[in-house]
Amino acid sequence: DIQMTQSPSTLSASVGDRVTITCRATQSINGWLAWYQQKPGKAPKLLIYSASSLESGVPSRFYGGGSGTEFTLTISSLQPDDFATYYCQQYNSYPFTFGQGTKLEIK
Amino acid sequence: EVQLVESGGGLIQPGRSLRLSCIGSGFGFGEYAVTWVRQAPGKGLEWVGFIKSFLYGGTTEYATSVKGRFTISRDDSKSVAYLQMDSLKTEDTAVYYCSRVGTQWRVDYWGQGTLVTVSS
């Protein structure tokens, strides 16, 4: 199975900050990577697919990048609604796997 | 409006079986693959498995942790997907979400989740 490792596990930041979350795969996933946002008690929400494509309706302050085995999710200017947990997921090969999550907290 | 609604969760003893349902509405259910994802209390997301549309063979794939115990199926005439869970273990305790796999493999719509608690 492909293992996905996110860093950091927890990130403290302030409104207006630019933050980046990294996701590393144990082998190349050919850009088949998605990013999700999850708030407590809610289902995940798709933000980014195919590593860098923004899902419809998602603010443009979210953007994804990377290739091969290393990918990033950047939020250019944090808004109060962005404090949540973020997950990456590879869907290059079965079984599809998630990263362990990054909790974005208010500093 | 696209909606997915899971049902069938509850308290179940280890070793028993349980079947979850996921009913879709507001879209052509049979045209889409359906994925199941779970989340143990206070933990991260875990992909459980998925079923392709019958247009693509209706094939299934599973996580290593559930392969051989869980079975995903679908009945497009009822717009429903099922997750049959056998030989349940305490570590299967989680909220189970179903979701739709849209174009370009986008998991774009999710249900609200149903809680399964495996305990004696």
Side-chain angles (χ1 to χ4, degrees):
Chain A
D1 299 2
I2 296 176
Q3 306 301 316
M4 306 298 291
T5 303
Q6 290 180 229
S7 60
S9 295
T10 306
L11 181 56
S12 296
S14 301
V15 172
D17 284 354
R18 174 191 174 99
V19 298
T20 296
I21 300 168
T22 299
C23 179
R24 291 185 174 87
T26 51
Q27 63 190 74
S28 175
I29 56 173
N30 299 303
W32 295 110
L33 183 102
W35 289 96
Y36 298 90
Q37 177 193 69
Q38 188 182 33
K39 296 183 178 179
K42 300 293 187 183
K45 173 187 174 183
L46 177 65
L47 300 175
I48 302 286
Y49 63 96
S50 299
S52 60
S53 296
L54 190 68
E55 174 68 357
S56 176
V58 174
S60 59
R61 62 180 180 273
F62 290 93
Y63 58 94
S67 62
T69 62
E70 186 162 329
F71 299 86
T72 57
L73 173 69
T74 298
I75 310 172
S76 60
S77 178
L78 276 173
Q79 299 302 301
D81 191 50
D82 299 338
F83 292 95
T85 300
Y86 293 84
Y87 295 92
C88 62
Q89 184 201 21
Q90 69 82 19
Y91 50 102
N92 178 71
S93 58
Y94 303 117
F96 297 166
T97 43
F98 286 94
Q100 81 280 12
T102 295
K103 186 175 183 180
L104 180 53
E105 300 178 328
I106 300 174
K107 184 184 286 184
Chain B
E1 179 191 8
V2 173
Q3 283 195 316
L4 293 162
V5 178
E6 303 93 339
S7 62
L11 176 63
I12 188 82
Q13 293 178 325
R16 302 290 295 270
S17 298
L18 194 65
R19 190 179 77 165
L20 305 183
S21 300
C22 169
I23 297 179
S25 60
F27 66 102
F29 187 84
E31 299 171 26
Y32 293 85
V34 173
T35 292
W36 288 91
V37 171
R38 68 183 181 183
Q39 187 168 37
K43 303 297 184 182
L45 302 173
E46 181 184 14
W47 185 81
V48 172
F50 96 136
I51 185 166
K52 292 183 179 180
S53 68
F54 284 118
L55 182 66
Y56 292 96
T59 55
T60 53
E61 299 287 345
Y62 299 95
T64 303
S65 59
V66 307
K67 190 177 276 189
R69 298 190 300 122
F70 288 13
T71 303
I72 300 172
S73 60
R74 62 190 301 159
D75 183 346
D76 293 340
S77 69
K78 298 178 181 177
S79 297
V80 63
Y82 300 104
L83 178 62
Q84 176 69 39
M85 304 184 292
D86 298 325
S87 303
L88 281 162
K89 306 175 181 180
T90 55
E91 52 263 42
D92 294 320
T93 293
V95 173
Y96 285 75
Y97 296 100
C98 71
S99 51
R100 184 185 89 163
V101 183
T103 57
Q104 299 183 65
W105 288 87
R106 292 159 43 249
V107 182
D108 54 1
Y109 287 92
W110 296 67
Q112 82 290 349
T114 188
L115 176 62
V116 173
T117 303
V118 184
S119 175
S120 55

Coordinates of all heavy atoms in Angstrom, one line a residue, chain A residues 1 32 36 38 41-44 46 49-50 55 87 89 91 94-100, chain B residues 37 39 43-47 50 52 61-64 97 104-108 110-112:
Chain A
D1 N 0.8 -1.2 0.0 CA 0.0 0.0 0.0 C 0.9 1.3 0.0 O 2.0 1.3 0.6 CB -0.9 0.0 1.2 CG -1.9 -1.1 1.3 OD1 -1.8 -2.0 0.5 OD2 -2.6 -1.2 2.3
W32 N -2.2 12.0 -9.0 CA -3.5 11.6 -8.6 C -3.7 11.8 -7.1 O -3.6 10.9 -6.3 CB -3.8 10.2 -8.9 CG -3.9 9.9 -10.4 CD1 -2.9 9.2 -11.1 CD2 -4.8 10.4 -11.3 NE1 -3.3 9.2 -12.5 CE2 -4.5 9.9 -12.6 CE3 -6.0 11.2 -11.2 CZ2 -5.2 10.2 -13.8 CZ3 -6.8 11.4 -12.4 CH2 -6.3 11.0 -13.6
Y36 N -8.7 17.5 1.1 CA -10.0 17.7 1.7 C -9.9 18.5 2.9 O -8.9 18.4 3.6 CB -10.6 16.3 2.1 CG -10.9 15.4 0.9 CD1 -9.9 14.5 0.5 CD2 -12.1 15.4 0.2 CE1 -10.1 13.6 -0.6 CE2 -12.3 14.6 -0.9 CZ -11.3 13.7 -1.2 OH -11.5 12.9 -2.3
Q38 N -12.0 19.1 6.6 CA -13.0 18.6 7.4 C -13.1 19.4 8.7 O -12.1 19.7 9.4 CB -12.7 17.1 7.8 CG -13.9 16.5 8.5 CD -13.7 15.0 8.9 OE1 -12.5 14.7 9.2 NE2 -14.7 14.2 8.9
G41 N -17.5 17.0 13.3 CA -18.8 16.5 13.1 C -19.4 16.6 11.7 O -20.6 16.3 11.5
K42 N -18.5 17.0 10.7 CA -19.0 17.1 9.4 C -18.3 16.2 8.4 O -17.2 15.7 8.7 CB -18.8 18.6 8.9 CG -19.5 19.6 9.7 CD -21.0 19.5 9.6 CE -21.7 20.6 10.3 NZ -23.2 20.5 10.2
A43 N -18.8 16.0 7.3 CA -18.2 15.2 6.2 C -17.0 16.0 5.6 O -17.1 17.2 5.6 CB -19.2 14.8 5.2
P44 N -16.1 15.3 5.1 CA -15.0 16.0 4.4 C -15.5 16.8 3.2 O -16.6 16.4 2.6 CB -14.0 14.9 3.9 CG -14.3 13.8 4.9 CD -15.8 13.9 5.2
L46 N -14.2 18.3 -0.6 CA -13.2 18.3 -1.6 C -12.7 19.8 -1.9 O -13.5 20.6 -2.2 CB -13.7 17.7 -2.9 CG -12.7 17.6 -4.0 CD1 -11.5 16.8 -3.7 CD2 -13.4 17.1 -5.3
Y49 N -8.3 18.6 -6.6 CA -8.1 17.2 -7.2 C -7.1 17.3 -8.2 O -6.7 18.4 -8.7 CB -9.5 16.7 -7.7 CG -10.0 17.6 -8.8 CD1 -9.8 17.2 -10.2 CD2 -10.8 18.7 -8.5 CE1 -10.3 18.0 -11.2 CE2 -11.3 19.5 -9.6 CZ -11.1 19.1 -10.9 OH -11.6 19.9 -11.9
S50 N -6.6 16.2 -8.6 CA -5.5 16.1 -9.6 C -4.3 17.0 -9.2 O -3.7 17.6 -10.1 CB -6.0 16.4 -11.0 OG -7.0 15.5 -11.4
E55 N -11.5 22.6 -6.9 CA -12.9 22.2 -7.0 C -13.8 23.4 -7.2 O -13.6 24.5 -6.6 CB -13.3 21.4 -5.8 CG -14.8 21.0 -5.7 CD -15.2 20.0 -6.8 OE1 -14.4 19.6 -7.7 OE2 -16.4 19.6 -6.8
Y87 N -6.8 16.9 4.9 CA -6.3 15.5 4.6 C -5.9 15.5 3.1 O -6.6 16.0 2.2 CB -7.4 14.5 4.8 CG -7.8 14.3 6.2 CD1 -8.8 15.0 6.7 CD2 -7.1 13.4 7.0 CE1 -9.2 14.8 8.1 CE2 -7.5 13.2 8.3 CZ -8.6 13.9 8.9 OH -9.0 13.7 10.2
Q89 N -5.2 12.7 -0.1 CA -5.5 11.3 -0.4 C -4.9 11.0 -1.8 O -5.1 11.8 -2.7 CB -7.0 11.1 -0.5 CG -7.4 9.6 -0.7 CD -8.8 9.5 -1.3 OE1 -9.4 10.4 -1.8 NE2 -9.4 8.3 -1.1
Y91 N -5.1 8.6 -5.1 CA -6.0 7.7 -5.8 C -5.3 7.2 -7.1 O -5.9 7.0 -8.2 CB -7.3 8.3 -6.1 CG -7.4 9.7 -6.7 CD1 -7.7 9.9 -8.0 CD2 -7.2 10.8 -5.9 CE1 -7.8 11.1 -8.6 CE2 -7.3 12.1 -6.5 CZ -7.6 12.2 -7.8 OH -7.6 13.5 -8.3
Y94 N -4.7 1.2 -6.0 CA -5.5 0.6 -4.8 C -4.5 -0.1 -3.8 O -3.5 -0.6 -4.2 CB -6.5 -0.4 -5.4 CG -7.4 0.1 -6.4 CD1 -7.4 -0.4 -7.7 CD2 -8.3 1.1 -6.1 CE1 -8.3 0.1 -8.7 CE2 -9.2 1.6 -7.0 CZ -9.2 1.1 -8.3 OH -10.1 1.5 -9.3
P95 N -4.9 0.0 -2.6 CA -6.0 0.8 -2.0 C -5.7 2.3 -1.9 O -4.6 2.6 -1.6 CB -6.2 0.2 -0.6 CG -4.8 -0.3 -0.3 CD -4.2 -0.7 -1.5
F96 N -6.7 3.1 -2.2 CA -6.5 4.5 -2.1 C -6.2 4.8 -0.6 O -6.8 4.2 0.3 CB -7.7 5.3 -2.5 CG -8.0 5.1 -4.0 CD1 -9.3 5.5 -4.5 CD2 -7.1 4.5 -4.9 CE1 -9.6 5.3 -5.8 CE2 -7.4 4.4 -6.2 CZ -8.7 4.8 -6.7
T97 N -5.4 5.8 -0.3 CA -5.0 6.0 1.1 C -4.9 7.5 1.4 O -4.6 8.3 0.5 CB -3.6 5.4 1.4 OG1 -2.7 5.6 0.3 CG2 -3.7 3.9 1.6
F98 N -5.3 7.8 2.6 CA -5.2 9.2 3.1 C -4.0 9.4 4.0 O -3.4 8.5 4.6 CB -6.4 9.4 4.1 CG -7.8 9.5 3.4 CD1 -8.6 8.4 3.2 CD2 -8.2 10.8 2.9 CE1 -9.8 8.6 2.6 CE2 -9.5 10.9 2.3 CZ -10.3 9.8 2.2
G99 N -3.6 10.7 4.0 CA -2.6 11.1 5.0 C -3.3 11.1 6.4 O -4.5 11.0 6.5
Q100 N -2.5 11.3 7.4 CA -3.0 11.3 8.8 C -3.8 12.5 9.2 O -4.4 12.6 10.3 CB -1.9 10.9 9.8 CG -1.1 12.1 10.2 CD 0.0 12.5 9.2 OE1 0.0 12.1 8.0 NE2 0.9 13.4 9.6
Chain B
V37 N -15.8 5.6 3.1 CA -14.7 6.1 3.9 C -15.2 6.0 5.3 O -16.3 6.3 5.6 CB -14.3 7.5 3.5 CG1 -13.3 8.1 4.5 CG2 -13.8 7.6 2.1
Q39 N -14.2 6.8 9.7 CA -13.4 7.7 10.6 C -13.7 7.2 12.0 O -14.8 7.4 12.5 CB -13.8 9.1 10.4 CG -12.9 10.1 11.2 CD -13.1 11.5 10.8 OE1 -14.2 11.9 10.5 NE2 -12.0 12.3 10.8
K43 N -10.1 10.1 15.2 CA -9.0 9.7 14.3 C -9.2 10.3 12.9 O -10.1 11.0 12.7 CB -8.9 8.2 14.2 CG -8.7 7.5 15.6 CD -7.4 7.9 16.2 CE -7.1 7.1 17.5 NZ -5.9 7.5 18.2
G44 N -8.2 9.9 12.0 CA -8.3 10.4 10.7 C -9.2 9.6 9.8 O -9.9 8.6 10.2
L45 N -9.2 10.0 8.5 CA -10.0 9.3 7.5 C -9.3 8.0 7.0 O -8.1 8.0 6.9 CB -10.3 10.2 6.3 CG -10.9 11.6 6.6 CD1 -11.0 12.4 5.4 CD2 -12.4 11.3 7.1
E46 N -10.1 7.0 6.8 CA -9.6 5.8 6.2 C -10.5 5.3 5.1 O -11.7 5.2 5.2 CB -9.6 4.6 7.3 CG -9.0 3.3 6.7 CD -9.1 2.2 7.7 OE1 -9.8 2.3 8.8 OE2 -8.4 1.1 7.5
W47 N -9.9 5.2 3.9 CA -10.6 4.7 2.7 C -11.0 3.2 3.0 O -10.1 2.4 3.3 CB -9.7 4.9 1.5 CG -10.3 4.5 0.2 CD1 -11.2 5.3 -0.5 CD2 -10.1 3.3 -0.5 NE1 -11.5 4.7 -1.7 CE2 -10.9 3.4 -1.7 CE3 -9.4 2.1 -0.3 CZ2 -10.9 2.4 -2.7 CZ3 -9.5 1.1 -1.3 CH2 -10.2 1.3 -2.4
F50 N -14.5 0.9 -2.8 CA -15.4 1.5 -3.7 C -16.0 0.5 -4.7 O -15.4 -0.6 -4.9 CB -14.8 2.8 -4.3 CG -14.2 2.6 -5.6 CD1 -14.4 3.6 -6.6 CD2 -13.3 1.6 -5.9 CE1 -13.8 3.5 -7.8 CE2 -12.7 1.5 -7.2 CZ -12.9 2.5 -8.1
K52 N -17.3 0.6 -8.8 CA -17.5 1.3 -10.0 C -18.9 1.2 -10.5 O -19.7 0.3 -10.1 CB -16.5 0.8 -11.1 CG -15.1 1.0 -10.8 CD -14.2 0.5 -11.9 CE -12.7 0.8 -11.7 NZ -11.9 0.3 -12.8
E61 N -13.1 -2.6 -5.1 CA -11.7 -2.6 -4.5 C -11.9 -2.3 -3.0 O -12.8 -1.6 -2.6 CB -10.8 -1.5 -5.1 CG -10.6 -1.7 -6.6 CD -9.7 -2.8 -6.9 OE1 -9.0 -3.3 -6.0 OE2 -9.6 -3.2 -8.1
Y62 N -11.0 -2.8 -2.2 CA -11.1 -2.7 -0.8 C -9.8 -2.3 -0.1 O -8.7 -2.6 -0.6 CB -11.6 -4.0 -0.1 CG -13.0 -4.4 -0.7 CD1 -13.1 -5.3 -1.7 CD2 -14.1 -3.9 -0.1 CE1 -14.3 -5.6 -2.2 CE2 -15.4 -4.2 -0.6 CZ -15.5 -5.1 -1.6 OH -16.7 -5.4 -2.1
A63 N -9.9 -1.7 1.1 CA -8.7 -1.5 1.9 C -8.2 -2.8 2.4 O -9.0 -3.8 2.6 CB -9.0 -0.6 3.0
T64 N -6.9 -2.9 2.7 CA -6.3 -4.1 3.2 C -7.0 -4.5 4.5 O -7.2 -5.7 4.7 CB -4.8 -3.9 3.4 OG1 -4.2 -3.5 2.1 CG2 -4.1 -5.2 3.9
Y97 N -18.9 7.0 6.0 CA -19.4 7.9 5.0 C -19.4 7.2 3.6 O -18.5 6.5 3.3 CB -18.5 9.1 4.9 CG -18.3 10.0 6.1 CD1 -17.2 9.9 6.9 CD2 -19.3 11.0 6.3 CE1 -17.1 10.7 8.0 CE2 -19.1 11.8 7.4 CZ -18.0 11.7 8.2 OH -17.9 12.5 9.3
Q104 N -13.3 12.9 -13.4 CA -11.9 13.0 -13.1 C -11.6 12.5 -11.7 O -10.7 13.0 -11.0 CB -11.5 14.5 -13.2 CG -11.6 15.0 -14.6 CD -11.1 16.5 -14.7 OE1 -9.9 16.7 -14.6 NE2 -12.0 17.4 -15.0
W105 N -12.4 11.5 -11.3 CA -12.2 10.8 -10.0 C -12.3 11.8 -8.8 O -11.8 11.5 -7.7 CB -10.8 10.2 -9.9 CG -10.7 9.0 -10.8 CD1 -10.4 8.9 -12.1 CD2 -11.0 7.6 -10.4 NE1 -10.4 7.6 -12.6 CE2 -10.8 6.8 -11.6 CE3 -11.4 7.0 -9.3 CZ2 -11.0 5.4 -11.6 CZ3 -11.6 5.6 -9.2 CH2 -11.4 4.9 -10.4
R106 N -13.2 12.8 -9.0 CA -13.4 13.8 -7.9 C -14.4 13.2 -7.0 O -15.6 12.9 -7.4 CB -13.9 15.1 -8.5 CG -12.9 15.8 -9.3 CD -13.6 16.8 -10.2 NE -14.7 17.6 -9.6 CZ -15.9 17.4 -9.9 NH1 -16.3 16.5 -10.8 NH2 -16.9 18.1 -9.3
V107 N -14.1 13.1 -5.7 CA -15.1 12.6 -4.7 C -15.8 13.9 -4.2 O -15.4 14.5 -3.3 CB -14.4 11.9 -3.5 CG1 -15.4 11.4 -2.5 CG2 -13.6 10.7 -4.1
D108 N -16.9 14.2 -4.9 CA -17.4 15.5 -4.9 C -18.6 15.7 -3.9 O -18.9 16.8 -3.5 CB -17.8 16.0 -6.3 CG -18.7 15.1 -7.1 OD1 -19.1 14.0 -6.5 OD2 -19.0 15.4 -8.2
W110 N -20.7 13.9 -0.4 CA -20.6 13.0 0.7 C -21.9 13.0 1.5 O -22.6 14.0 1.5 CB -19.5 13.5 1.7 CG -18.1 13.5 1.1 CD1 -17.6 14.3 0.1 CD2 -17.0 12.7 1.5 NE1 -16.3 14.0 -0.1 CE2 -15.9 13.0 0.8 CE3 -16.9 11.6 2.5 CZ2 -14.7 12.4 0.9 CZ3 -15.7 11.0 2.7 CH2 -14.6 11.4 1.9
G111 N -22.2 11.8 2.0 CA -23.3 11.7 3.0 C -22.9 12.3 4.3 O -21.7 12.8 4.5
Q112 N -23.8 12.3 5.3 CA -23.6 12.8 6.6 C -22.9 11.8 7.5 O -22.4 12.2 8.6 CB -24.9 13.3 7.2 CG -25.7 12.2 7.9 CD -26.4 11.2 6.9 OE1 -26.4 11.4 5.7 NE2 -27.0 10.1 7.4

